[in-house]
DNA sequence: CGCCTTACTGACCCCTAGGTCAGTTGCAAA
DNA sequence: TTTGCAACTGACCTAGGGGTCAGTAAGGCG
């Protein structure tokens, strides 16, 4: 009578799909870990989400921690890789480039999945130094290098004033991270609108707060 | 023979001190929660730190959560109250005022206890909306108001360029929070020196990155 | 010094959730 | 169809730690 076979998993009887399992478990894990963090994440729930039993998880992962590492790693690479080529075109003014870069940053940290990832790593990062240093390399280090490149180019073109920011380009994207942190901490409780914040960031970044003599 | 009575608690035999207990337990709790967060904090360890047994904690606090709330509340008010009057003197240029304010911020977020507090609230904040909104009022809201006042005054004096940052002064202190977050995430693993970062922040904040025509 | 109140103790209870494994079943080859 | 194997199940085991409570002793009072 009923044939729910098309839907991914319903109450259909167990199928044996060795190849598909790990990815499905990791996907379920990502969702669970995002929602609850490591400690409060529950393997039975993960199993249910993946449409399997708890035991099956242990056929593919040695422990909760191992699953967690796999999930984070998958998620990091996916999130990082997703909007990669947004700035391969090095045309336009430095102003345009920076604006585009920041829009990208905000999109990921405020609306996107990078926020959940940030939350997890902030919450649970000390248990996995390996992931943390990967994350550092993939985001902070890489971002800094890219930013420095843009700024250098700007200096060459006479658009950017040479200064200490060239050495510590973190400062430039800091407000985006701040907004993400604000969202994580205050959730719906205290809003901080994206638009005006972004405006203020861009404006201050380009011109500073001081009046030009 | 031995009389270690002067040291706070050694292996001296149990004393009955109804008044002093709660504060001692809260102090031990703060230290434990800072170090391990809520879930990994251990009541036996807290008891040991406070020089009492676990049962005694339950004479004064109904549950682990109740102790946690008390500890956080105590800590928030103490940390917030500590450096309050750093800017009651409204003399000097806007530049000086902002520099002083930011030095203060960095001192608390990078070297001080505000960092640990930030970590806890970031990690465990969703379990206590009351504390979170107190924290918001005491830090974000108050800081914004103060900053806006300084900027307004600067505009009046012709030192500050009017702009969107007046509406969203968060942007101005964002890098300090960023640095704190960086420290929390990467601990000793990846260093980010305070001095150059602070320099770059101040410089960019005042003058922006763009070359002045 | 005896007695009573109560701060305090710590062995114990028990629930939660990570981890295990004997048994079940899909599936493909014989 | 039978047989073998490996994917899969879920009841069970166990550790850790929050929470309890019968017992202990400090110390004030008569």
């Amino acid at each position: 009578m009923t044939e729910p076979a098309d839907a991914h998993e319903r109450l259909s009887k167990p199928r044996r799909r060795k190849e598909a399992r790990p990815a499905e478990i990791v996907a379920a894990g990502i969702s669970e870990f995002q929602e609850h963090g490591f400690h409060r994440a529950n393997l039975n729930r993960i199993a249910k989400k993946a449409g399997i039993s708890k035991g099956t998880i242990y056929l593919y992962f040695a422990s909760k921690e191992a699953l967690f590492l796999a999930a984070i790693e998958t998620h990091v690479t996916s999130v990082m890789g997703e909007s990669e080529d947004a700035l391969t075109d090095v045309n336009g003014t430095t102003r345009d480039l920076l604006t585009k870069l920041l829009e990208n940053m905000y999109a990921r940290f405020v609306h996107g999945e990078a926020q959940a990832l940030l939350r997890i790593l902030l919450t649970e990062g000390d248990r996995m130094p390996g992931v943390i240093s990967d994350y550092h390399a993939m985001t902070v280090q890489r971002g800094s290098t890219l930013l420095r490149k843009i700024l250098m180019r700007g200096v060459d073109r006479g658009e950017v004033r040479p200064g200490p920011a060239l050495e510590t380009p973190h400062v430039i994207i800091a407000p985006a991270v701040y907004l993400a942190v604000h969202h994580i901490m205050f959730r719906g409780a205290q809003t901080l609108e994206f638009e005006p914040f972004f405006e203020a960031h861009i404006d201050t970044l380009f011109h500073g707060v001081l009046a030009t003599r």
Side-chain angles (χ1 to χ4, degrees), chain A:
Chain A
M1 286 258 161
T2 59
E3 27 190 337
D6 195 37
H8 278 322
E9 8 256 330
R10 275 293 87 185
L11 294 168
S12 57
K13 52 184 121 175
R15 296 283 144 191
R16 321 169 80 209
R17 295 175 308 115
K18 187 181 182 176
E19 298 75 28
R21 289 296 183 219
E24 289 172 4
I25 296 170
V26 161
I30 289 174
S31 137
E32 175 77 4
F33 289 127
Q34 271 186 4
E35 204 166 335
H36 301 284
F38 182 79
H39 258 95
R40 286 190 268 177
N42 179 310
L43 285 174
N44 276 310
R45 253 192 326 249
I46 293 177
K48 195 168 280 182
K49 282 182 191 177
I52 54 173
S53 75
K54 191 170 64 175
T56 301
I57 294 177
Y58 284 87
L59 295 178
Y60 299 100
F61 300 93
S63 64
K64 185 185 185 182
E65 181 130 358
L67 171 58
F68 182 62
L69 291 177
I72 291 294
E73 199 144 350
T74 301
H75 196 229
V76 169
T77 54
S78 122
V79 168
M80 291 306 112
E82 74 184 12
S83 53
E84 175 63 22
D85 35 32
L87 29 110
T88 43
D89 57 332
V90 264
N91 296 328
T93 63
T94 301
R95 191 188 184 109
D96 289 343
L97 276 181
L98 284 180
T99 305
K100 190 173 285 183
L101 178 77
L102 286 174
E103 268 166 357
N104 194 302
M105 280 282 303
Y106 276 100
R108 285 153 73 185
F109 271 105
V110 178
H111 316 298
E113 292 200 296
Q115 183 179 317
L117 185 57
L118 181 67
R119 180 186 171 81
I120 293 180
L121 293 182
L122 225 32
T123 304
E124 229 81 54
D126 52 345
R127 84 174 53 249
M128 24 175 237
V131 176
I132 284 290
S133 79
D134 282 5
Y135 183 76
H136 183 268
M138 293 171 94
T139 59
V140 181
Q141 210 153 68
R142 219 165 99 189
S144 293
T145 308
L146 177 63
L147 260 173
R148 199 175 287 120
K149 215 172 280 179
I150 293 178
L151 291 173
M152 296 294 211
R153 173 175 165 283
V155 172
D156 287 345
R157 305 175 93 209
E159 295 171 333
V160 171
R161 178 177 61 81
L166 292 175
E167 298 307 315
T168 323
H170 308 252
V171 196
I172 288 172
I173 50 87
V177 175
Y178 173 89
L179 190 57
V181 168
H182 191 284
H183 273 93
I184 291 173
M185 274 197 80
F186 303 117
R187 296 270 167 182
Q190 306 291 341
T191 42
L192 178 53
E193 287 302 326
F194 163 70
E195 264 303 332
F197 187 87
F198 182 71
E199 288 294 317
H201 179 187
I202 292 283
D203 180 77
T204 308
L205 171 62
F206 288 146
H207 305 109
V209 294
L210 296 189
T212 29
R213 273 146 300 173

